[in-house]
Amino acid sequence: MVLADLEARKRATPDAVSALEDAMSSRTWWAEQWPEGEMYVAGLVAQDVQDALLETVGRWPLCLGCPGPEHALYIQPDLGGPDPVWVCEETGQTVAPLGSLAG
Ligand SMILES: [Zn+2]
């Protein structure tokens, strides 16, 4: 799902994919320790990749729906799940479910 959203915004660079793989391996370990946490994993991985990209190439994913200064989307619920969606940080409006930015 995270990869689909990276591709949707042309950000599936080798660095981003490598950040995604790192996030997945650490969150997989985490979910193994706490199986009930599985529903949070996808959203947490998205947040990890978002943090990694912020340090290198900048904000991802950007909100395309609003006028005005460039701003990002963030994952709601903040815990990463269940049913993570991208929300505009300015308006608080839901933009798309995680994995569906292209749609
Ligand atoms: Zn917005």
Side-chain angles (χ1 to χ4, degrees), residues 63-67 71-73 88-91 95:
C63 179
L64 303 179
C66 307
H71 57 278
L73 305 177
C88 168
E89 70 179 9
E90 292 288 321
T91 65
V95 173

